[in-house]
């Protein structure tokens, strides 16, 4: 037992000589600056042009590979009407993406500050599909079935879009495609029928004849549907994020303002317990981005951290238990030791019982103040001094309840693999009240010595716990390798800068898997293949528009394909049907 006396004696001497046990901490100071501020944002995220380009170069091909392997459309029917002629019913027995290629060396992302848009440039690309189909015209003048391999052997893409608030929900943004130049030469359209039906040969020739209208249909449908598809996918992004009994509001404060090299996003960044609001507001202001910083920058205000602590406190999660198992070499944690501070505890329970401390936040949430290089922390806790009264059944009884105020200063760091480290440099505890006592009257004279010893014990315990690192990367939806991590404590906020390594195989597989899960959502697939899908509606309108602009029969006859109608039964039927419809309209 004598090994403990040195610590106890030092604490006692400090209390007798009047050594200062607590310190007054400065109040939180709002961040004020004249440049690049996001008003009342709890979290700011800034992504550079290089980040987007790296993503497209290294990850997009991997995502397409998985989509190619997993996304298969089966058993769907697409119908559209050619005015005055017939309705085409195309049954998709199986539709798959066979391959996608683009030249990553000629792929880039551009940011246009003048008109607040972002552009994606892809060159020297190709895409091919396989379709097993059944085709019926209504009236049923022809029918066909077979397999079609088709695609585009060479194309380029300039896709430019901006972002603006959604009319129905200003807290969300929607994509507005301002330009989608899909560069396709009709000679690059590829099709190959794999069936023995003569009608298949006719359709093959028909597609060749109509290559110019087809290019128009493809490019216009891509422009309109891509905008719809991106906005549809954005609808699936959860907001608020729900964590069991808590939520995180990640609403955008305003539509993003794209700069020359960065896309800054300003989020509310507010944690709340489910069904409750915060008793305080955000008065801080955050920088939007650092033009000379890393490709991904995250600014987290002390408001967001405080809202998290308030939420944890309301849900009863701010509880810490300290006992012999946590610090085996420092104290024995028994009633004999605690009798030095509270003499009656040994008299009531005996001198050989185990003791533990349980600290839990009460009344108000902890106050946190982020300063350059360090963090100040102030909180009111209740401290239970529990005694094990039955060792066999592990039954504990609370002998004393003390109300304390804790003042702490410490530092936070984030290192490779997103490991969070916390170190308390100073901790002072002030006992303000005896809330409950089962050992009779407690003398205040022992408080100071107990405060010093326990503050050292708690400081040691917390530092020991966080010395191993807290893996915050586990909360990300995917694994990612980081080339550089720069974490900094600033005035009123934390700055977290990283450079993701999208070229590592582990990152490619993990992020590709995440995107595949989004593609596989039934709602998203329904938007493409459903009976009332946007894709079907857009495609039908463009086909109708093309048939109104071109004389189908004239194109067939001028191509020489019309001469085949005498030898091909199905084409003869179509030709006769077209002639009958013309006479009827006349």
């Amino acid at each position: 037992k004598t090994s403990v006396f040195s610590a106890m004696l030092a604490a006692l001497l400090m209390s007798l000589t009047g050594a200062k046990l607590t310190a007054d901490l400065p109040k939180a100071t709002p961040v004020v600056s004249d440049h690049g501020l996001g008003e009342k944002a709890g979290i700011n995220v800034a992504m550079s042009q290089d980040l987007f380009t790296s993503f497209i170069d290294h990850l997009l091909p991997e995502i397409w590979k998985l989509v190619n392997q997993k996304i298969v459309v089966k058993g769907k029917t697409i119908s559209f009407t050619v005015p005055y002629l017939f309705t085409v019913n195309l049954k998709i027995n199986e539709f798959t993406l066979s391959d996608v290629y683009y030249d990553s060396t000629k792929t880039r992302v551009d940011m246009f500050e003048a008109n607040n848009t972002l552009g994606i440039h892809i060159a020297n690309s190709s895409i091919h599909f396989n379709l097993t189909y059944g085709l019926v015209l209504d009236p049923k003048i022809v029918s066909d079935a077979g397999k079609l391999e088709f695609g585009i052997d060479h194309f380029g893409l300039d896709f430019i879009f901006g972002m603006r608030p959604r009319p129905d929900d200003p807290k969300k943004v929607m994509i507005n495609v301002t330009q989608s130049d899909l560069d396709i030469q009709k000679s690059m359209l590829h099709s190959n029928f794999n069936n023995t039906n003569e009608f298949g040969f006719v359709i093959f020739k028909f597609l060749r004849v109509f290559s110019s209208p087809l290019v128009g249909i493809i490019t216009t449908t891509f422009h309109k549907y891509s905008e719809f598809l991106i906005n549809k996918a954005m609808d699936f992004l959860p907001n608020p994020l729900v964590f069991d009994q808590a939520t995180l509001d990640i609403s955008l404060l305003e539509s993003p303002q794209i700069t020359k090299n960065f896309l800054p996003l300003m989020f509310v960044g507010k944690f709340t317990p489910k069904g409750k609001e915060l008793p305080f507001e955000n008065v801080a202001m955050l920088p939007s981005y650092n033009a000379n910083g890393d490709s991904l920058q995250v600014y987290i205000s002390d408001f967001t951290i405080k809202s998290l602590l308030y939420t944890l406190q309301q849900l009863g999660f701010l509880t810490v238990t300290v006992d012999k198992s946590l610090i085996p070499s420092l104290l024995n944690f028994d009633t004999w030791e605690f009798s030095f501070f509270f003499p009656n505890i040994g008299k009531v329970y005996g001198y050989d019982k185990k003791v533990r401390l349980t600290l839990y936040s009460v009344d108000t949430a902890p106050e946190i103040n982020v300063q350059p290089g360090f963090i100040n922390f102030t909180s009111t806790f209740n401290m239970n001094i529990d005694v094990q009264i039955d060792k066999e059944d592990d039954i504990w009884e609370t002998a004393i309840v003390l109300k304390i105020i804790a003042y702490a200063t410490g530092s936070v760091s984030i290192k490779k693999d997103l490991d969070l480290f916390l170190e308390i440099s100073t901790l002072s505890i002030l006992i303000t009240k005896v809330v409950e006592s089962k050992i009779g009257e407690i003398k205040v004279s022992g408080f100071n010595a107990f405060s010093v010893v326990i503050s050292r014990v708690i400081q040691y315990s917390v530092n020991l716990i966080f010395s191993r690192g807290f893996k915050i990367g586990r909360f990300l939806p995917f694994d990612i390798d980081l080339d550089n991590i720069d974490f900094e404590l600033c005035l009123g906020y934390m700055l977290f800068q990283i450079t993701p390594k999208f070229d590592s195989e582990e990152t490619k597989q993990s992020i590709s898997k995440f995107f595949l899960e989004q593609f596989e959502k039934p709602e998203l697939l329904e938007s493409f293949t459903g009976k009332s899908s946007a894709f079907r509606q857009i495609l039908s309108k463009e086909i109708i528009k093309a048939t109104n602009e071109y004389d189908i029969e004239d194109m067939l006859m001028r191509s020489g394909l019309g001469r085949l109608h005498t030898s091909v039964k199905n084409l003869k039927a179509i030709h006769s049907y077209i002639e009958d419809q013309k006479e009827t309209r006349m």
Side-chain angles (χ1 to χ4, degrees):
K1 306 290 185 182
T2 56
S3 62
V4 183
F5 276 109
S6 58
M8 292 182 173
L9 182 59
L12 181 60
L13 289 173
M14 290 178 66
S15 65
L16 293 175
T17 56
K20 190 171 180 62
L21 298 175
T22 61
D24 295 329
L25 301 180
K27 298 294 184 182
T29 303
V31 178
V32 179
S33 175
D34 295 327
H35 175 69
L37 295 178
E39 185 177 0
K40 293 186 178 179
I43 300 174
N44 279 358
V45 177
M47 295 173 284
S48 74
Q49 178 175 297
D50 292 339
L51 180 75
F52 285 104
T53 297
S54 178
F55 177 87
I56 290 180
D57 283 353
H58 299 111
L59 274 174
L60 204 55
E62 301 298 321
I63 293 172
W64 278 117
K65 285 180 183 177
L66 278 180
V67 171
N68 177 26
Q69 296 170 6
K70 299 290 185 178
I71 303 299
V72 178
V73 179
K74 293 183 177 182
K76 298 290 184 178
T77 301
I78 295 178
S79 300
F80 57 89
T81 299
V82 179
Y84 309 113
L85 295 179
F86 40 69
T87 298
V88 179
N89 298 298
L90 176 64
K91 183 179 180 181
I92 302 174
N93 296 320
E94 183 174 277
F95 175 75
T96 59
L97 174 67
S98 59
D99 67 81
V100 175
Y101 168 80
Y102 66 85
D103 187 350
S104 61
T105 62
K106 297 181 180 180
T107 299
R108 69 178 189 276
V109 173
D110 299 311
M111 292 184 175
F112 306 101
E113 185 174 7
N115 53 6
N116 195 33
T117 55
L118 187 148
I120 300 174
H121 176 74
I122 298 176
N124 192 26
S125 308
S126 64
I127 185 169
H128 297 94
F129 304 89
N130 290 322
L131 172 66
T132 303
Y133 69 94
L135 180 69
V136 177
L137 301 187
D138 184 19
K140 192 174 181 180
I141 49 178
V142 295
S143 63
D144 183 46
K147 182 177 181 180
L148 171 63
E149 300 173 1
F150 67 101
I152 305 170
D153 294 336
H154 185 89
F155 72 91
L157 170 65
D158 282 300
F159 189 72
I160 301 176
F161 62 91
M163 286 173 276
R164 56 187 174 87
R166 275 178 44 169
D168 60 328
D169 188 353
K171 290 186 176 182
K172 294 182 179 180
V173 297
M174 62 182 296
I175 296 298
N176 180 32
V177 177
T178 59
Q179 179 181 337
S180 61
D181 293 336
L182 191 60
D183 182 17
I184 303 175
Q185 302 298 322
K186 65 179 183 179
S187 61
M188 292 299 170
L189 291 178
H190 167 83
S191 57
N192 180 30
F193 276 86
N194 183 17
N195 65 359
T196 56
N197 193 319
E198 283 185 322
F199 187 62
F201 170 74
V202 175
I203 293 296
F204 176 79
K205 296 290 289 184
F206 185 86
L207 291 175
R208 288 294 185 188
V209 171
F210 275 83
S211 57
S212 293
L214 278 174
V215 169
I217 292 171
I218 292 171
T219 54
T220 308
T221 301
F222 171 80
H223 178 98
K224 294 181 178 180
Y225 183 65
S226 60
E227 180 176 281
F228 170 85
L229 184 63
I230 294 173
N231 285 309
K232 187 72 174 178
M234 291 175 65
D235 285 342
F236 297 135
L237 297 175
N239 183 34
L241 296 176
V242 179
F243 305 96
D244 195 15
Q245 304 174 56
T247 60
L248 172 60
D249 186 348
I250 54 171
S251 302
L252 285 168
L253 285 172
E254 61 180 47
S255 182
Q257 301 298 309
I258 298 172
T259 68
K260 183 179 179 180
N261 295 310
F262 276 88
L263 169 62
L265 303 171
M266 298 183 295
F267 300 97
V268 173
K270 179 175 67 175
F271 286 93
T272 53
K274 273 188 179 179
K276 293 185 178 181
E277 289 296 327
L278 297 179
F280 50 87
E281 296 182 353
N282 186 10
V283 296
M285 303 181 81
L286 290 176
S288 295
Y289 67 98
N290 179 359
N292 298 318
D294 288 357
S295 61
L296 177 60
Q297 304 171 20
V298 182
Y299 299 79
I300 304 174
S301 69
D302 48 15
F303 163 78
T304 297
I305 302 170
K306 183 180 178 181
S307 71
L308 173 60
L309 292 175
Y310 171 81
T311 300
L312 294 174
Q313 187 259 343
Q314 291 289 303
L315 298 176
F317 291 131
L318 290 187
T319 301
V320 177
T321 299
V322 182
D323 58 16
K324 172 71 174 176
S325 63
L326 185 62
I327 44 176
S329 62
L330 194 61
L331 291 173
N332 286 320
F333 270 86
D334 57 22
T335 49
W336 186 88
E337 286 182 343
F338 276 75
S339 294
F340 180 83
F341 309 106
F342 310 104
N344 288 344
I345 198 169
K347 296 176 182 178
V348 173
Y349 293 101
Y351 294 93
D352 60 347
K353 299 294 192 300
K354 290 183 179 180
V355 175
R356 71 184 180 192
L357 303 178
T358 302
L359 295 90
Y360 52 96
S361 179
V362 295
D363 300 335
T364 59
E367 289 285 339
I368 190 166
N369 176 234
V370 182
Q371 297 289 324
F374 64 94
I375 296 177
N376 289 327
F377 177 88
T378 307
S379 183
T380 301
F381 286 90
N382 272 5
M383 177 189 290
N384 290 359
I385 302 176
D386 304 321
V387 178
Q388 188 183 47
I389 60 175
D390 189 327
K391 183 177 181 179
E392 184 177 345
D393 294 330
D394 194 27
I395 299 175
W396 295 75
E397 180 175 283
T398 300
I400 307 170
V401 180
L402 303 174
K403 183 178 287 294
I404 66 173
I405 299 177
Y407 304 90
T409 300
S411 61
V412 177
S413 61
I414 298 178
K415 300 180 180 179
K416 189 173 177 57
D417 298 327
L418 294 179
D419 289 340
L420 172 70
F421 295 87
L422 170 66
E423 182 178 3
I424 298 177
S425 54
T426 62
L427 173 64
S428 298
I429 288 177
L430 176 64
I431 299 175
T432 61
K433 181 182 179 181
V434 179
V435 178
E436 179 184 338
S437 172
K438 293 182 179 178
I439 63 171
E441 184 180 357
I442 298 176
K443 294 182 179 181
V444 179
S445 60
F447 283 181
N448 284 342
F450 179 71
S451 298
V452 173
V453 172
I454 293 306
S455 65
R456 300 298 181 267
V457 169
I458 295 174
Q459 180 179 348
Y460 176 86
S461 303
V462 173
N463 288 343
L464 180 64
I465 292 172
F466 281 94
S467 65
R468 308 181 187 98
F470 180 75
K471 296 189 178 298
I472 58 177
R474 62 184 178 177
F475 296 106
L476 295 177
F478 42 75
D479 296 327
I480 184 169
D481 285 345
L482 304 175
D483 187 37
N484 179 50
I485 297 180
D486 182 14
F487 183 81
E488 184 180 358
L489 297 176
C490 305
L491 186 59
Y493 64 90
M494 300 178 180
L495 172 57
F496 177 61
Q497 299 188 78
I498 58 175
T499 301
K501 295 176 63 176
F502 291 133
D503 56 345
S504 74
E505 290 302 319
E506 295 79 6
T507 297
K508 287 181 181 180
Q509 293 177 12
S510 180
I511 298 182
S512 299
K513 181 180 178 182
F514 168 77
F515 273 90
L516 176 64
E517 291 172 352
Q518 312 313 308
F519 275 110
E520 286 182 318
K521 289 183 176 179
E523 302 93 332
L524 197 60
L525 288 175
E526 185 65 18
S527 73
F528 180 78
T529 61
K531 292 183 178 180
S532 58
S533 71
F535 175 76
R536 179 179 298 187
Q537 295 176 20
I538 293 171
L539 180 62
S540 297
K541 288 180 180 179
E542 294 308 313
I543 291 175
I544 291 172
K545 181 180 177 182
T547 55
N548 287 333
E549 292 178 355
Y550 293 90
D551 188 325
I552 297 176
E553 184 184 16
D554 181 63
M555 291 185 69
L556 287 173
M557 296 304 177
R558 283 191 293 107
S559 68
L561 185 60
R563 292 190 295 272
L564 293 174
H565 75 271
T566 54
S567 59
V568 181
K569 179 181 179 181
N570 285 327
L571 186 60
K572 182 177 181 181
I574 293 177
H575 184 268
S576 300
Y577 182 75
I578 292 174
E579 291 297 324
D580 291 343
Q581 293 301 308
K582 281 186 175 181
E583 291 180 4
T584 301
R585 293 199 303 274
M586 293 175 62

